[in-house]
Every structure is written in structure tokens, then in C-alpha cells.
Amino acid sequence: MLTKLDVDDKQGHTMSFPLQDSSAGYTIKSIDGLDPVKATITSSSFAQLDGSQQQSARRENRNIIVSIGMEPYSGGSTVRALRTALYAYFMPKAFLIFKFYEDDVLTATIEGQVESCEAPLFSKDPELKVSVICFDPAFQAPTPTVVNGNTVSTSTEQTIDYPGTIEVGYDFQLNINRTIAAGSGFTIYNRRPGGTVAQMDIICPVALAAGDVVKISTKARAKTATLIKSGGATSSYMYAVSGQASWAPLYPGNNYFRVYCPGTAIPFTVTYTTKYGGL
């Protein structure tokens, strides 16, 4: 169960709200908007045909609404002082990071911008209600996961067990330890839990040498391919990626991963941050 909510601002300050402790003068009365968000699904219909055909689907923004009760205590802060301290974090337009703890262990984070902050002055039960819009509706694990592997010249796969509930892009890094000849290259295969195989071919126009690094990101809105030469020079490597390449993410469950490259094995890493559709 949720035991604490931390709120970080862009200046690096943190305000903590233990859910079962009101000794600091605050009580979390409710937190709405933690369930999976609604999806918008578009479709098109055809004359003289029943039903319609699905065109696209996307998740909407997340709206988190937190109600915080203010309880002044003997020798402590007044309601006014408590309210002013909250204003410092929850002023409209402010960017915040919510951190959720389960059994006192940080389990998920999410970023958002304050839409509104309401704290009626003339109330027998003083409270502040803040509405935060999260443009990326997914909750994220607090730390990334790194999976190590080696290229193969066979059909041998390794399993990446992705524990999230929302598909996620990943950062792939090939740490080259031998020569890859010009015109050759490597292929990234990801066989999804349902059996569909995503394939990304990378053809090297110029030979790669030991010490070079190839980085590829399949993250939404940030898909890139970069070559870092052993001397440190960095350049785009998008021209080496096949035009038919699938920039497929990792999907919930077992993903059967393979990087095919003839010859001696080359080490690589896959780094991802687990995402959740709801808490």
C-alpha cells in the first residue's frame, strides 16, 4: 500500500507527506488520478459495410488531484503558515515530480505541471486541493534497468523479462571490440511475447574498429542512432539504419532478444526504465 508521497520542485527541494502521519500539520485526504488513463481510439467507417476500422489509439494526459488537509498543532504552525508552505510548491504553472512510496520503498515517479491550486480561506476544515497535469501519463520506476548481452552468429536468444504494464523504448549500446568490415553490420531482433519479430538492420558504410561505440535509442519522440569513434568524435549514425527497420519497444512480459553479427561475440547493453499504466 502507498505509505508516502514526496513532491520535488525544479529547484531540487522536497516536501514529504507520510500518509499515516500528520505530525507536520498535513494530512493526505485523497489522491485521485492513479488509475490507468482513458484511451482515445479513432476509427473510420465505410459505406455499405458494418462497423468501422480502427485507425489509431493513444493514452490521454493524466490528471492527478491531491487533497491535503491542514491541521495546526499546539506550539506549531498556524493554518496560514501551513498554507503558505504549500503555495511554495503548488503554485499554478509550477513543474513538479511526484514520488510514490509503497511500504516506505520508492516505487514510481511521474512529472507534471500544476493546473490549479485551491485553498478556501473560510472553511471549518482547511484543506488545499491541487490539480496536476502529467503530459506523459505513465508512472516510471525510479531507476533504469541494464541488461548485458553479446552478439551471436546463431539463432540463440536471450530473454528480457520486462515487468512494466506499458511498452517502453530502450537504449542499445554496442561496445565494439573488433573490426566490423565495411558493407557488413549487425541486426537487432526482438521477438515479442505474442510471437511477432521486430528487426532492425544496421549496415556499416565504413569499417568499425575496436573502441568504437554504436548507440541506438528506440524511445518514443527520441529515436536516434549515434556513432562514437574510439578517439571520442561523435556523429549521427542514422544513415546506417535500414529504412525498413522496426524501432520496436519492449513489451510487457518476456521479450526474446538477439543481436546477430557474424564472427567473434561483441558485448552490448540494453537499458530501459520500467513504465506502469497505473498504481
Side-chain angles (χ1 to χ4, degrees):
M1 61 176 292
L2 290 177
T3 55
K4 186 174 71 167
L5 168 66
D6 278 357
V7 179
D8 291 359
D9 63 16
K10 286 298 184 179
Q11 288 70 46
H13 304 131
T14 300
M15 195 170 193
S16 293
F17 299 94
L19 270 62
Q20 305 299 325
D21 182 0
S22 60
S23 60
Y26 300 111
T27 300
I28 297 293
K29 293 186 173 182
S30 65
I31 305 177
D32 297 324
L34 304 184
D35 296 326
V37 300
K38 180 181 179 181
T40 296
I41 301 175
T42 60
S43 61
S44 58
S45 57
F46 301 91
Q48 300 182 15
L49 290 179
D50 296 335
S52 59
Q53 181 174 343
Q54 189 266 352
Q55 298 294 337
S56 65
R58 64 181 180 86
R59 300 178 185 91
E60 294 294 340
N61 296 338
R62 180 179 297 278
N63 183 197
I64 296 179
I65 300 175
V66 183
S67 296
I68 305 171
M70 292 172 280
E71 301 178 1
Y73 48 93
S74 177
S77 296
T78 63
V79 170
R80 179 181 176 81
L82 292 171
R83 184 188 300 112
T84 300
L86 291 176
Y87 282 164
Y89 282 83
F90 297 118
M91 192 58 57
K93 295 201 321 182
F95 284 93
L96 302 175
I97 301 175
F98 282 169
K99 297 180 177 179
F100 297 91
Y101 292 76
E102 292 186 9
D103 299 324
D104 297 324
V105 176
L106 178 60
T107 58
T109 68
I110 194 168
E111 295 185 8
Q113 187 171 16
V114 177
E115 177 188 36
S116 64
C117 176
E118 301 174 354
L121 298 182
F122 304 100
S123 173
K124 294 181 180 180
D125 187 14
E127 71 171 19
L128 179 142
K129 181 173 290 187
V130 58
S131 172
V132 177
I133 303 298
C134 304
F135 303 103
D136 181 349
F139 295 98
Q140 298 191 25
T143 57
T145 299
V146 180
V147 178
N148 297 299
N150 292 283
T151 63
V152 297
S153 54
T154 65
S155 59
T156 302
E157 299 173 322
Q158 71 178 90
T159 303
I160 298 178
D161 183 8
Y162 172 58
T165 56
I166 291 181
E167 65 276 5
V168 68
Y170 59 86
D171 291 322
F172 171 85
Q173 178 171 315
L174 185 68
N175 302 302
I176 299 169
N177 58 2
R178 61 172 174 84
T179 299
I180 298 180
S184 182
F186 58 95
T187 302
I188 301 173
Y189 294 96
N190 181 18
R191 184 162 61 89
R192 306 175 193 176
T196 304
V197 178
Q199 177 177 336
M200 176 182 286
D201 295 316
I202 292 86
I203 307 301
C204 307
V206 179
L208 300 178
D212 293 346
V213 175
V214 175
K215 293 185 176 182
I216 297 172
S217 175
T218 67
K219 295 178 179 178
R221 305 185 187 92
K223 297 176 181 177
T224 59
T226 305
L227 172 62
I228 304 174
K229 298 297 291 182
S230 57
T234 301
S235 60
S236 172
Y237 208 49
M238 290 292 290
Y239 60 86
V241 181
S242 168
Q244 289 73 47
S246 173
W247 298 76
L250 299 175
Y251 285 84
N254 289 332
N255 294 259
Y256 303 97
F257 205 81
R258 175 167 65 105
V259 181
Y260 176 80
C261 185
T264 306
I266 303 173
F268 67 81
T269 59
V270 173
T271 305
Y272 64 86
T273 300
T274 303
K275 289 189 174 186
Y276 307 99
L279 294 185

